[in-house]
Amino acid sequence: MEILDKEEILKQFPQLEQPLMDELLKQSTLKTIEAGDEVMRTGQYIKSTILLLSGLLKVYREDDEGNEFLMYYLEPGNACALSMMCTARNEKSQIMAKAVTDVEVLLVPSHLSEMWLGKYKSWHNFVIASYRQRFEELLQTLDSIAFKGLDERLLFYLKRHVKVSGKEVRLSHQQIADELNSSREVISRLLKKLEQTGAITLHRNYLEVHDLEIV
Amino acid sequence: MEILDKEEILKQFPQLEQPLMDELLKQSTLKTIEAGDEVMRTGQYIKSTILLLSGLLKVYREDDEGNEFLMYYLEPGNACALSMMCTARNEKSQIMAKAVTDVEVLLVPSHLSEMWLGKYKSWHNFVIASYRQRFEELLQTLDSIAFKGLDERLLFYLKRHVKVSGKEVRLSHQQIADELNSSREVISRLLKKLEQTGAITLHRNYLEVHDLEIV
DNA sequence: CTTCCTCTGTGACAAGAGTCACTGTACTCC
DNA sequence: GGAGTACAGTGACTCTTGTCACAGAGGAAG
């Protein structure tokens, strides 16, 4: 286990009170995860609360036929709400979390996380706030699926992607299609249309976003 | 304000500890809501946590064009997770809660609910458990929208409806269509098919469910 | 009984999205 | 430079869902 850089951690979680930070530094473990690796899947027993220090995680849903769709991204400073509330789920569909880039996480043993809820007000607030944020993001995703056509969903997806990792979207059409639970051809066509409006420029294996609001 | 029937309330929320129950009885207000009335809409400032004592609430999403879809039902013993985490939301789409039947709710002022989180372990657990349940239900809804065709979504919807209010589904095709964000004609056709398999029987203004598993 | 209104059933058509087949294009590795 | 491979573009077709138009059917109220 590497030595925790206190300053670094504090910077990501400034809302946590001092004594809690001390415990956190002492009791949690730092883990590095390579881009592309799976961080979590429901059904598996989750024994830790996950705090994200650096990098980018995507949380998505996968059904029994291998279809998937993106729920939301987690950025540094976020906690994985699901890791806090993972009950024994034995349904067919799963929630998965995967590292988009290399990622550093802090693992807090569940029993501690549980205990801190009563002990530290700031931890408690942090946990509740995490639930809220995830709930809201999930609702946005739900909205876009329920009310919007694929063209608007694609826009929503691109906007979100730009927000977490910049205007260079380094994804193939196939990858985008997967995350929207659609098919490559359809995404290709829609992207082409977007390019024609001038909103984006297409390249091999990536695309540049110029302005998604003009559409 | 009516007098709270302690026994009744205890029965719905047996997991709450005694001193908390006492405070709850003293500090919260009972409110009766008529079938069809709106309980809540986001954006509006929510000043209370809502506990459901009797009746049935539906929680649904509505977008700016009046489209809607059902998120989940709340039954007696449930709390409205949203009333606990309503931040100032000023987006276009809204979460709405409406009474399906006549409903009795207990209103807990937000500042108390907040305080109890630290004070009573059982309250804290109850709140966390509520979040979890709603999150899970929302995920199921999301799944059915993202992965399933309308036929399967209709089945899922009917099953859920049967679970909360029995095998007589007293809804017009139009109402069902609304809750699935679809159109009457399509729902009519799908229901007809279901009737042909023997899973349900159609009537004017209601339908009987026999067995939804056989489909 | 008659009128009126809401709910339901149905056929025809349109639009969106998925699938298939095939072509072209850029990059990588010998 | 040439072969192989993953990615991207495109047309044709199908299926599902939504829309429009209209016809019955059942209830309610007079």
Side-chain angles (χ1 to χ4, degrees):
Chain A
M1 171 182 153
E2 307 180 36
I3 294 177
L4 301 180
D5 180 342
K6 186 172 174 176
E7 290 309 312
E8 201 49 43
I9 295 175
L10 246 173
K11 210 166 64 191
Q12 297 297 348
F13 300 96
Q15 69 273 57
L16 302 183
E17 61 203 284
Q18 194 52 55
L20 171 54
M21 280 306 288
D22 295 339
E23 265 205 78
L24 191 63
L25 291 165
K26 228 185 304 173
Q27 311 261 24
S28 62
T29 46
L30 180 68
K31 194 176 163 193
T32 308
I33 296 158
E34 276 178 47
D37 281 7
E38 203 172 272
V39 178
M40 183 194 94
R41 77 186 311 150
T42 47
Q44 121 194 114
Y45 180 61
I46 313 276
K47 58 291 158 213
S48 304
T49 297
I50 300 170
L51 301 185
L52 185 53
L53 293 179
S54 70
L56 186 64
L57 284 180
K58 70 171 183 175
V59 179
Y60 59 102
R61 197 91 164 124
E62 197 174 273
D63 81 351
D64 44 341
E65 280 141 25
N67 303 308
E68 61 174 80
F69 69 89
L70 179 70
M71 289 167 55
Y72 45 71
Y73 291 105
L74 290 179
E75 298 180 90
N78 289 158
C80 179
L82 294 166
S83 66
M84 297 166 171
M85 70 183 194
C86 243
T87 58
R89 316 180 81 253
N90 48 358
E91 296 147 39
K92 287 183 200 158
S93 25
Q94 303 233 320
I95 300 170
M96 314 269 292
K98 190 178 274 189
V100 177
T101 63
D102 286 353
V103 154
E104 286 177 305
V105 296
L106 215 48
L107 298 176
V108 181
S110 293
H111 68 277
L112 284 179
S113 164
E114 179 77 10
M115 200 180 70
W116 292 350
L117 284 171
K119 194 166 167 193
Y120 300 109
K121 183 122 183 88
S122 63
W123 180 251
H124 168 260
N125 287 338
F126 176 67
V127 169
I128 296 282
S130 295
Y131 273 93
R132 271 182 209 184
Q133 276 178 41
R134 293 317 132 206
F135 207 93
E136 302 244 342
E137 291 223 50
L138 195 56
L139 272 175
Q140 281 197 32
T141 303
L142 188 50
D143 269 3
S144 76
I145 296 182
F147 295 133
K148 314 287 191 186
L150 196 49
D151 48 351
E152 284 192 76
R153 283 178 56 206
L154 178 58
L155 273 179
F156 176 68
Y157 174 82
L158 288 176
K159 280 178 198 165
R160 185 135 76 169
H161 203 279
V162 166
K163 193 154 41 172
V164 296
S165 49
K167 298 208 153 200
E168 296 244 309
V169 179
R170 306 210 133 283
L171 295 169
S172 69
H173 298 183
Q174 184 65 61
Q175 286 174 296
I176 297 174
D178 288 344
E179 302 213 320
L180 291 170
N181 190 33
S182 175
S183 72
R184 184 192 57 82
E185 295 93 321
V186 176
I187 298 298
S188 276
R189 279 195 269 266
L190 292 175
L191 285 175
K192 205 74 200 165
K193 265 195 223 164
L194 278 183
E195 186 174 42
Q196 279 157 12
T197 68
I200 62 175
T201 309
L202 297 178
H203 304 273
R204 186 185 177 81
N205 278 316
Y206 76 103
L207 59 88
E208 287 172 82
V209 173
H210 305 308
D211 183 2
L212 293 174
E213 304 300 333
I214 65 175
V215 188
Chain B
M1 169 183 154
E2 307 180 34
I3 294 179
L4 300 181
D5 180 341
K6 185 173 174 176
E7 290 309 312
E8 202 49 45
I9 294 174
L10 245 175
K11 212 167 61 191
Q12 297 296 351
F13 300 95
Q15 70 274 57
L16 302 183
E17 61 202 284
Q18 194 52 53
L20 170 55
M21 279 306 289
D22 295 340
E23 265 206 77
L24 191 63
L25 291 165
K26 227 183 307 173
Q27 311 262 24
S28 62
T29 46
L30 181 68
K31 193 177 165 194
T32 307
I33 296 158
E34 277 177 46
D37 280 7
E38 203 172 274
V39 178
M40 182 194 97
R41 77 186 312 150
T42 47
Q44 123 194 110
Y45 181 61
I46 311 277
K47 57 293 160 212
S48 303
T49 296
I50 299 171
L51 301 185
L52 184 53
L53 292 179
S54 70
L56 185 65
L57 284 180
K58 69 169 183 175
V59 179
Y60 61 101
R61 196 93 165 123
E62 197 174 272
D63 81 350
D64 44 341
E65 279 140 25
N67 304 309
E68 62 175 78
F69 70 90
L70 179 69
M71 289 168 54
Y72 46 72
Y73 291 105
L74 289 179
E75 297 180 89
N78 290 157
C80 179
L82 293 166
S83 65
M84 297 166 172
M85 68 186 197
C86 245
T87 57
R89 318 180 79 252
N90 48 0
E91 295 147 37
K92 285 183 199 159
S93 26
Q94 302 235 321
I95 301 170
M96 315 267 294
K98 189 177 275 189
V100 177
T101 63
D102 286 355
V103 154
E104 286 176 306
V105 294
L106 215 48
L107 299 176
V108 182
S110 293
H111 68 279
L112 284 179
S113 165
E114 180 77 11
M115 202 181 69
W116 292 350
L117 283 171
K119 195 167 166 192
Y120 300 109
K121 183 123 183 88
S122 63
W123 180 251
H124 168 261
N125 287 338
F126 176 67
V127 169
I128 296 282
S130 294
Y131 273 93
R132 272 182 209 184
Q133 276 178 41
R134 293 315 133 211
F135 207 93
E136 302 245 342
E137 291 223 52
L138 194 57
L139 272 176
Q140 281 196 33
T141 303
L142 187 50
D143 269 1
S144 76
I145 296 182
F147 295 133
K148 314 287 190 186
L150 196 49
D151 48 351
E152 286 192 74
R153 283 178 57 205
L154 177 57
L155 273 178
F156 176 68
Y157 173 82
L158 288 176
K159 280 179 198 167
R160 186 134 76 169
H161 203 278
V162 165
K163 192 154 42 172
V164 297
S165 51
K167 298 208 151 199
E168 297 243 308
V169 179
R170 306 210 132 289
L171 295 168
S172 70
H173 297 183
Q174 184 65 63
Q175 286 174 296
I176 297 175
D178 287 345
E179 302 213 319
L180 291 171
N181 190 35
S182 175
S183 72
R184 184 194 55 82
E185 296 92 322
V186 176
I187 297 299
S188 276
R189 279 195 270 266
L190 292 175
L191 285 174
K192 204 75 200 164
K193 265 195 223 163
L194 277 183
E195 186 175 42
Q196 279 158 13
T197 67
I200 63 175
T201 308
L202 298 177
H203 304 273
R204 187 185 175 80
N205 278 317
Y206 76 104
L207 59 88
E208 287 172 81
V209 173
H210 306 308
D211 182 4
L212 294 174
E213 303 301 333
I214 66 176
V215 188

